[in-house]
Amino acid sequence: MAEIKLAESKVQELKEVCKKFDYDKGELINVLHAAQEIFGYLPAEVQEIVADELNVNIAHVYGVVTFYSFFTMIPKGEHPISICMGTACYVRGAEKVLDEFKRLLDVKVGETTPDGKFSVSSLRCVGACGLAPVVTVGEKVYGRVAPEGVKDILAEYN
Amino acid sequence: MDIVKLNIDNKPVVVEKGATLLEAAKSVGVDVPTLCHMKLHDMNYENNPGGCRVCVVEVEGRRNLAPACKTECTEGMNVNTHSLRVINARRTVMELILSDHPAECLTCVKNGKCELQTMAQNLGIREIPFEGEQSHYKEDRSPSIIREVDKCIMCRRCEMACNEIQTVGCLSAINRGFESVVAPAFEMDLEKSTCTYCGQCVAVCPTGALSEVDHTRKVLSTLVDPTKTVIVQTAPAVRAALGEEFGMDAGTLVTGKMTSALKKLGFDKVFDTDFAADLTIMEEGTELLGRLQKHLNGDKDVKLPILTSCCPGWVNFFESNFPDMLDVPSTAKSPQQMFGAVAKTYLADQMGIKREDMVVVSIMPCLAKKYEAQRPEFAVDNNPDVDFSLSTRELAQMIKGANINFEDLTDEDFDNPMGESTGAGVIFANTGGVIEAAARTAYEVHTKKKLEKVEFESLRGFEGIRSATVDFDGLPIKIGIAHGLGNARKLLEDVQAGKSEFHAIEIMACPGGCIGGGGQPYHHGDTSILKKRAAAIYREDEGKEIRKSHENPFIVKLYEEFLGEPCGDLSHKLLHTHYFDKKKKVEINND
Ligand code: SF4
Ligand code: SF4
């Protein structure tokens, strides 16, 4: 099963988290939340550690991970793209922008391109409503993005 | 006790406070239909996710229909379980479920036994007005079990069986909405998971989503192969349940008819796994007494308790969950495998045929036996000791397919030498039976006295975990018994923690023992069927002339002519095995 190797330090960190939550099965969702913070995503190996530490079945952990759309088992791309879907951005056409990213990269929301370069996610209001629609790539913020401008944004990273 | 009075279909009902409408209705003989709910009486397990919505009823004064399984009875309720509105609602629910269900009834393994099909028939569904997208999942084929998840209706009974009864935790509901199914972690194949192949998920699935791997066609073609000698062994639990497949009452013993049917099907010899069960007692019993003796002499290296090892679901369970305790269970093979090993050596020699020309088929109440038969350590030069392991249901299928009129068959006897068995071999089918059989022999061997009464009533029963102390002429032997893997886990955790006080523990993976195996006729949640099968097994034991394994004349002869002595060199080679660490591990990078 184990295909990727996890960094020891992060594993330790995760184990600390489990300890902090008293190895309480009822805290599974919170522990997974923290685990996703640490690793960026929830690969099978991380879920197995959580299952072991909290003494719950791995199938159940996987069930929870697949039930909540917040959790992802796919690592973020080198350049994680987030499109704001808050009300202001939405009414100013964020969805069309999102569609354009999906079309050009041929991925769905929550997915990463096969070369690991880009991942696409949507997020709720980033608080820059004056700039709507807002897109972030890594740390960089782009405002007033139109579908036609998507191509140029991607070009910056290619 | 607080009580509540209400009316269901105009019948007055009195129930305990907290009871659901479903329970209340049942108490006055009104069976409200459900697809997901399943209560296993005597075992204290209930699957009640309230998901299928087939059980809706009309409660006077309420605007909406109420799901009977999730509605608590209140004083003075007037409930109608079959008003027009109710029936129409149930039909709509069924139509919706069926709109995402493959219409493959004619070729489905569950045809005629499917609860979804029965429900559709009862409600007179003649068309499915909703045309919608149908889900498609890959089929998953393991050595024992097939998952056809397209046929899953998300009742989650299998999840309950796997998680609560068995505590294997290999199945869970995953995804959400239309995409949701029950699957192993990461949607991996069962074969890669910690599945024990106990088959309890198959036993409770209402549809054809979970079923056994079917070997009947392969067996039929070897039966007509003139170069092969095909012999068959039948496990003890099969004779107490096979009749159900032909409409007979639960608990009808059909030993003679089963033997007769197997002969008609063309098996060259019809033998009995009970013979191998007697052999198991000789080996396991000797091992137990050996360990006990050393323990009493103060040898600290000897591990006690000794655990039985004749249940392959249980073997799979401890290999993946308790790999640090592989030296605790007995090394004796299961009766199925002992039979195969002896048949393909001793018997083949006697019959003057080569190993390769002998085909050993077994009829088992069990699905884990299919996996066990194909374990590489149970083969010689890729020729397995047991070629095909069929379930009780598969045998019934073969009999029907050959248009044999089962009920009218005249009883026939097993062939010899491997068809002779004692009452001790028979009771292997029931929880507590293996250890009772062992006690009958171990007592006489240890005390050199004759047992006054062969029945050890204290070892019998249906409680999930039982214990008893048996008096071996002044030496108290403490015995533990567990059936169902969840119960087994509890006993094993005690052993692991060094808290166990037992000398010997019997474990069977399935509730009730083999009589409740995953390959038996479907009980559809009626656990009284299991009790009737168990009673039938004890009746068969009572009717046997010889009831102690070491008195089986053919076993005595087998040791004289071939094996030497129990736990001797040849026995070790043929009749004992070893276990493997199958725990799944996570790799970590130390940087
Ligand atoms: S066969 Fe047993 S262990 Fe395997 S999935 Fe079914 S219930 Fe779980
Ligand atoms: S596989 Fe069968 S038992 Fe399991 S949820 Fe689906 S229909 Fe129910």
Side-chain angles (χ1 to χ4, degrees):
Chain A
M1 218 187 308
E3 276 165 7
I4 60 155
K5 297 203 169 182
L6 303 172
E8 172 78 24
S9 57
K10 291 188 175 180
V11 171
Q12 271 318 321
E13 204 181 324
L14 174 56
K15 288 188 175 168
E16 287 298 316
V17 169
C18 297
K19 195 171 157 194
K20 200 184 89 202
F21 282 110
D22 239 354
Y23 306 104
D24 180 357
K25 293 180 209 294
E27 297 287 355
L28 178 61
I29 292 179
N30 287 326
V31 171
L32 287 171
H33 223 291
Q36 186 157 301
E37 296 262 297
I38 297 171
F39 292 91
Y41 68 120
L42 295 172
E45 291 75 5
V46 169
Q47 296 181 41
E48 278 168 22
I49 294 170
V50 172
D52 263 4
E53 294 291 305
L54 302 192
N55 199 14
V56 289
N57 303 318
I58 180 65
H60 177 63
V61 174
Y62 178 73
V64 170
V65 169
T66 53
F67 185 83
Y68 293 100
S69 56
F70 169 80
F71 295 125
T72 172
M73 288 184 63
I74 305 165
K76 281 228 165 72
E78 201 184 318
H79 307 292
I81 303 170
S82 302
I83 297 99
C84 178
M85 288 298 220
T87 316
C89 293
Y90 190 85
V91 297
R92 303 188 83 175
E95 199 174 16
K96 290 217 177 66
V97 175
L98 174 63
D99 285 345
E100 186 64 3
F101 275 110
K102 291 198 309 201
R103 188 181 71 84
L104 288 175
L105 296 172
D106 195 21
V107 292
K108 295 197 195 92
V109 173
E111 285 184 353
T112 302
T113 52
D115 61 5
K117 222 161 168 170
F118 297 104
S119 53
V120 177
S121 61
S122 65
L123 44 79
R124 294 271 162 244
C125 191
V126 290
C129 305
L131 295 175
V134 173
V135 169
T136 60
V137 180
E139 302 286 293
K140 194 162 170 191
V141 181
Y142 298 82
R144 304 221 169 83
V145 181
E148 300 76 43
V150 169
K151 201 162 65 261
D152 298 334
I153 295 178
L154 289 177
E156 284 181 38
Y157 301 90
N158 269 322
Chain B
M1 183 186 79
D2 282 349
I3 56 161
V4 175
K5 289 187 204 139
L6 67 162
N7 286 301
I8 297 180
D9 294 346
N10 294 322
K11 289 187 199 179
V13 190
V14 184
V15 288
E16 235 177 275
K17 194 170 183 317
T20 65
L21 283 178
L22 192 67
E23 290 162 338
K26 198 165 177 75
S27 74
V28 286
V30 175
D31 279 318
V32 178
T34 68
L35 279 174
C36 61
H37 181 267
M38 183 178 245
K39 183 159 184 164
L40 299 175
H41 296 270
D42 313 311
M43 293 178 209
N44 288 325
Y45 291 108
E46 184 170 12
N47 181 57
N48 195 9
C52 76
R53 287 308 197 246
V54 172
C55 69
V56 286
V57 294
E58 194 163 358
V59 180
E60 202 180 86
R62 290 202 190 179
R63 212 154 53 101
N64 295 327
L65 296 179
C69 69
K70 289 285 181 197
T71 308
E72 203 177 295
C73 299
T74 53
E75 189 63 33
M77 258 182 176
N78 280 316
V79 180
N80 190 332
T81 73
H82 54 210
S83 67
L84 183 62
R85 198 174 152 219
V86 164
I87 288 169
N88 282 338
R90 281 189 197 141
R91 288 180 54 107
T92 309
V93 167
M94 273 304 285
E95 285 163 356
L96 280 166
I97 295 176
L98 293 175
S99 73
D100 183 24
H101 194 87
E104 285 169 9
C105 288
L106 276 181
T107 49
C108 180
V109 56
K110 262 300 185 53
N111 191 1
K113 294 171 188 162
C114 170
E115 293 176 35
L116 185 67
Q117 195 184 43
T118 309
M119 189 77 68
Q121 175 65 303
N122 289 351
L123 288 169
I125 309 287
R126 293 291 170 264
E127 61 178 342
I128 299 155
F130 307 105
E131 238 181 83
E133 206 187 326
Q134 293 225 340
S135 32
H136 291 286
Y137 290 92
K138 61 172 182 174
E139 185 186 289
D140 171 12
R141 225 169 220 281
S142 68
S144 293
I145 292 168
I146 304 176
R147 293 174 54 239
E148 288 177 82
V149 185
D150 284 351
K151 296 179 183 166
C152 173
I153 56 167
M154 279 308 279
C155 68
R156 306 178 68 166
R157 289 183 192 174
C158 56
E159 202 185 340
M160 186 270 293
C162 191
N163 290 273
E164 286 170 46
I165 303 181
Q166 301 297 58
T167 66
V168 173
C170 139
L171 295 174
S172 170
I174 60 157
N175 299 334
R176 55 154 79 209
F178 181 66
E179 299 281 321
S180 55
V181 287
V182 171
F186 317 120
E187 287 166 79
M188 68 171 89
D189 291 341
L190 266 190
E191 200 174 353
K192 298 219 174 74
S193 75
T194 52
C195 174
T196 64
Y197 302 128
C198 71
Q200 286 304 311
C201 54
V202 178
V204 296
C205 180
T207 73
L210 297 168
S211 61
E212 67 267 46
V213 171
D214 182 344
H215 291 307
T216 55
R217 302 204 55 84
K218 287 194 199 142
V219 171
L220 286 170
S221 41
T222 46
L223 281 173
V224 294
D225 182 342
T227 66
K228 302 286 185 206
T229 302
V230 189
I231 66 167
V232 64
Q233 53 163 323
T234 60
V238 179
R239 66 208 64 190
L242 180 64
E244 293 164 30
E245 290 277 329
F246 301 92
M248 299 179 173
D249 289 339
T252 310
L253 280 166
V254 294
T255 321
K257 290 191 196 311
M258 170 182 73
T259 313
S260 165
L262 288 164
K263 291 189 175 171
K264 288 211 162 38
L265 283 169
F267 287 96
D268 295 302
K269 297 277 178 200
V270 180
F271 294 128
D272 202 350
T273 313
D274 297 20
F275 169 85
D278 282 334
L279 189 56
T280 305
I281 288 305
M282 299 304 289
E283 294 295 324
E284 220 167 50
T286 306
E287 199 186 340
L288 166 68
L289 285 177
R291 280 210 216 172
L292 191 65
Q293 205 57 58
K294 284 189 195 157
H295 177 80
L296 294 174
N297 294 343
D299 186 339
K300 291 271 176 295
D301 291 338
V302 177
K303 296 227 168 145
L304 279 183
I306 185 169
L307 278 73
T308 56
S309 58
C310 29
C311 166
W314 151 235
V315 169
N316 294 338
F317 182 72
F318 72 70
E319 282 184 329
S320 55
N321 289 284
F322 296 88
D324 53 326
M325 294 169 65
L326 298 183
D327 53 346
V328 180
S330 159
T331 57
K333 287 182 185 173
S334 72
Q336 162 172 282
Q337 293 309 132
M338 285 203 184
F339 182 97
V342 172
K344 287 204 176 175
T345 51
Y346 172 76
L347 184 71
D349 263 2
Q350 271 205 343
M351 293 173 80
I353 54 172
K354 288 199 292 237
R355 175 181 182 101
E356 312 80 83
D357 294 333
M358 177 184 270
V359 176
V360 175
V361 176
S362 63
I363 313 294
M364 294 284 142
C366 174
L367 302 187
K369 290 262 167 29
K370 287 177 186 281
Y371 167 78
E372 182 186 45
Q374 52 100 73
R375 276 181 174 243
E377 65 268 29
F378 296 147
V380 176
D381 299 330
N382 285 326
N383 179 280
D385 291 344
V386 174
D387 295 82
F388 301 107
S389 184
L390 305 183
S391 64
T392 309
R393 295 189 293 263
E394 285 169 275
L395 173 59
Q397 176 78 68
M398 279 175 71
I399 296 171
K400 288 176 189 163
N403 58 277
I404 292 168
N405 195 345
F406 190 76
E407 272 177 275
D408 293 346
L409 291 174
T410 26
D411 290 0
E412 287 194 48
D413 286 330
F414 288 109
D415 291 310
N416 276 326
M418 295 178 75
E420 182 69 36
S421 71
T422 72
V426 174
I427 58 174
F428 260 60
N430 289 351
T431 168
V434 171
I435 209 74
E436 178 172 342
R440 291 181 189 177
T441 288
Y443 178 91
E444 294 203 349
V445 172
H446 181 78
T447 64
K448 314 220 167 28
K449 288 189 184 163
K450 204 167 166 54
L451 260 184
E452 294 301 324
K453 183 175 182 317
V454 296
E455 294 92 354
F456 288 84
E457 309 280 359
S458 61
L459 300 173
R460 301 183 177 184
F462 224 75
E463 277 288 301
I465 297 180
R466 307 193 295 284
S467 62
T469 305
V470 183
D471 178 25
F472 273 29
D473 205 21
L475 176 67
I477 303 290
K478 290 187 188 143
I479 291 174
I481 297 165
H483 56 126
L485 289 171
N487 294 324
R489 183 187 287 280
K490 289 188 199 136
L491 285 192
L492 215 56
E493 280 169 352
D494 281 354
V495 177
Q496 200 173 32
K499 288 196 301 198
S500 182
E501 293 183 345
F502 298 119
H503 295 110
I505 295 178
E506 176 207 277
I507 288 176
M508 297 193 189
C510 292
C514 307
I515 47 136
Q520 292 280 58
Y522 294 108
H523 55 65
H524 298 290
D526 180 358
T527 47
S528 74
I529 292 177
L530 303 188
K531 291 193 163 168
K532 289 178 191 147
R533 291 177 189 161
I537 290 291
Y538 287 127
R539 275 206 311 281
E540 180 99 331
D541 167 37
E542 265 164 41
K544 286 269 189 182
E545 222 170 291
I546 308 175
R547 298 177 67 188
K548 288 167 274 183
S549 298
H550 57 289
E551 291 178 354
N552 181 336
F554 287 90
I555 293 283
V556 174
K557 196 159 160 246
L558 180 68
Y559 279 105
E560 277 170 10
E561 285 182 2
F562 182 62
L563 289 170
E565 51 174 13
C567 293
D569 287 345
L570 189 56
S571 298
H572 254 290
K573 188 164 160 254
L574 289 178
L575 308 179
H576 290 256
T577 184
H578 51 277
Y579 306 111
F580 300 87
D581 177 352
K582 294 197 175 148
K583 192 172 174 73
K584 308 275 184 297
K585 292 185 185 75
V586 190
E587 279 185 51
I588 291 171
N589 199 358
N590 292 310
D591 60 18

